[in-house]
Amino acid sequence: MTRRALPDAPLIAAAAGRRPSRTPVWFMRQAGRSLPEYRKVREGIPMLQSCFMPELLAEITLQPVRRHDVDAAILFSDIVVPLKAAGVEVEIVPGRGPVVAQPVRGRGDVDKLPVLGRDITEVAEGIRIILGELNETQALIGFVGAPFTLASYLVEGGPSKNHEKTKAMMHADPETWHALMAKLVPTITAFLRTQVDAGIDAMQLFDSWAGFLSERDYREHVLPYSTEILQGVAGEIPRIHFGVSTGELLGAMSEAGSEVMGVDWRVPLDAAAARFASPRVLQGNLDPAMLFAGRDVVRGEVSRIKAEAARAIEAGNATGHIFNLGHGVLPATDPGAITEAVAIIHEES
Ligand code: 1CP
């Protein structure tokens, strides 16, 4: 496979610290429930099953690109797909999220956990279809879940409010914790390798729930493993690293080595960049709730965020800006408000 060069793709230019032809924008969770055309094609097909259907996953990935004129597609998949492919009994329960049949609670459970040792050919095939449809200004972003966020689903058995079983294992049985994290790395890396070899143009490491940890716990129990995942594709494609409520962790997370740091909506981009270990490209950070507040509010927020990114670059703490939300599109969002926001972000300012 020869990777697409994409010299004129705004997202790739910005990720490399070059000046893009327009402010690149994509939205986390841009594919999915906010779109009627998504609900239509997914009808009657369980979520995880849809992630293993090449034509369907390609169609869902492309839907928001056609509709909103975003500068990147995000692969339609899920962070638990590599676990499912490895043979873990996991389902995505509608309205809830990933649920694991046998939660991982002790060393014996970790030892029994299967490791993914193959390409997920259905995803590779889907990526080939997507790449055939995108033009060379549109990037395809692949992704994987970070070991901590995946471990939380495995240990808790499903979505969790406080992540208490996960943190309890970390502290009461650190050896089992480290064994679990070490065991997740090859499975996540294999899924990322499938995507990179199939031709994705950039990747995002989602450590969605890392913000529940103190910096001390993050450094000792999480950072080495996320670093290993990102290292696995160093120099191949731009790497984005993101978690929710990670304001206090931005310095530590930036040490994992990504070119781009995703920032949630709680921290102004200039303040965020000042926390990075060394200058990076910023990604973010419109509050997804603002898409319910009307055009004038969005316009004001977009210009504030662009100004904060410009200040971070001016100060020498950041090397570029990719526009995004501060977390995923909320399911009840009016798709028209998303299209309008993208147009506003693309306007000169
Ligand atoms: O039936 C449905 O439509 C189920 C909803 C859904 C969708 C559309 C789930 C279940 N996953 C997905 C796709 C998905 N998941 C994408 C691609 C779509 C896009 O971004 O445009 C991505 C990037 C993910 C990644 C993912 N899954 C994350 C990290 C991103 C984030 O939002 O922080 C997490 C935490 C998951 C777990 C998950 N899968 C699904 C849900 C509802 C959840 C979250 C559950 C929880 O709150 O714990």
Side-chain angles (χ1 to χ4, degrees):
M1 202 246 15
T2 30
R3 198 171 310 288
R4 308 191 306 158
L6 304 187
D8 299 322
L11 183 130
I12 300 300
R18 287 185 282 117
R19 203 186 160 76
S21 54
R22 65 181 187 182
T23 302
V25 54
W26 68 283
F27 287 169
M28 292 182 272
R29 297 285 174 110
Q30 64 188 17
R33 290 163 297 171
S34 64
L35 299 184
E37 60 267 36
Y38 167 77
R39 297 195 293 268
K40 183 150 175 269
V41 295
R42 267 283 320 283
E43 225 173 283
I45 306 171
M47 171 66 198
L48 270 182
Q49 195 179 317
S50 69
C51 296
F52 290 87
M53 297 169 67
E55 275 91 13
L56 183 60
L57 77 86
E59 166 60 24
I60 294 173
T61 300
L62 291 164
Q63 283 175 347
V65 182
R66 291 187 201 117
R67 194 194 252 265
H68 303 309
D69 188 29
V70 281
D71 297 285
I74 170 85
L75 179 69
F76 180 77
S77 189
D78 196 84
I79 58 170
V80 299
V81 162
L83 297 177
K84 181 82 175 174
V88 176
E89 268 186 74
V90 54
E91 289 308 329
I92 292 181
V93 176
R96 208 166 151 222
V99 173
V100 180
Q102 283 148 350
V104 173
R105 297 280 157 76
R107 185 58 197 247
D109 301 324
V110 173
D111 291 341
K112 276 189 295 194
L113 198 67
V115 171
L116 181 64
R118 63 173 179 93
D119 249 4
I120 306 179
T121 51
E122 299 91 332
V123 173
E125 179 55 26
I127 289 172
R128 270 175 222 117
I129 300 170
I130 297 161
L131 291 173
E133 298 286 323
L134 293 175
N135 68 38
E136 66 244 19
T137 65
Q138 300 163 329
L140 173 61
I141 302 170
F143 73 92
V144 286
F148 170 73
T149 292
L150 276 182
S152 168
Y153 286 107
L154 287 169
V155 176
E156 305 290 336
S160 168
K161 216 165 146 224
N162 299 308
H163 306 268
E164 63 269 40
K165 296 188 181 75
T166 313
K167 292 188 190 181
M169 180 194 280
M170 210 178 253
H171 284 267
D173 191 358
E175 228 169 87
T176 296
W177 172 260
H178 285 290
L180 172 58
M181 294 294 274
K183 199 149 187 192
L184 285 171
V185 168
T187 293
I188 297 166
T189 299
F191 185 40
L192 183 54
R193 183 45 54 195
T194 291
Q195 298 176 46
V196 171
D197 288 350
I200 56 167
D201 304 303
M203 63 80 66
Q204 178 156 313
L205 182 66
F206 276 100
D207 208 349
S208 301
W209 313 138
F212 280 87
L213 298 173
S214 66
E215 184 183 348
R216 190 179 337 103
D217 279 350
Y218 179 82
R219 284 186 179 280
E220 182 173 343
H221 299 282
V222 176
L223 177 58
Y225 306 99
S226 289
T227 303
E228 209 180 325
I229 308 262
L230 290 171
Q231 267 303 324
V233 294
E236 293 188 83
I237 50 171
R239 300 163 296 171
I240 310 167
H241 193 183
F242 170 78
V244 186
S245 297
T246 48
E248 294 295 331
L249 300 182
L250 286 169
M253 285 177 77
S254 70
E255 289 174 26
S258 65
E259 288 74 24
V260 185
M261 285 297 300
V263 180
D264 90 350
W265 70 88
R266 291 169 180 85
V267 188
L269 291 182
D270 49 345
R275 299 176 189 177
F276 297 162
S278 56
R280 303 301 154 87
V281 175
L282 287 156
Q283 179 175 279
N285 67 345
L286 179 68
D287 184 338
M290 293 307 118
L291 295 176
F292 293 77
R295 182 201 300 254
D296 293 345
V297 171
V298 170
R299 200 178 285 284
E301 289 291 282
V302 166
S303 66
R304 174 183 61 77
I305 290 163
K306 282 186 171 183
E308 286 164 356
R311 273 204 296 279
I313 294 167
E314 182 81 7
N317 294 328
T319 52
H321 180 213
I322 296 167
F323 211 102
N324 204 313
L325 299 179
H327 194 195
V329 171
L330 298 166
T333 308
D334 169 10
I338 302 176
T339 310
E340 196 171 83
V342 171
I344 290 169
I345 292 158
H346 280 154
E347 283 169 12
E348 278 306 314
S349 58

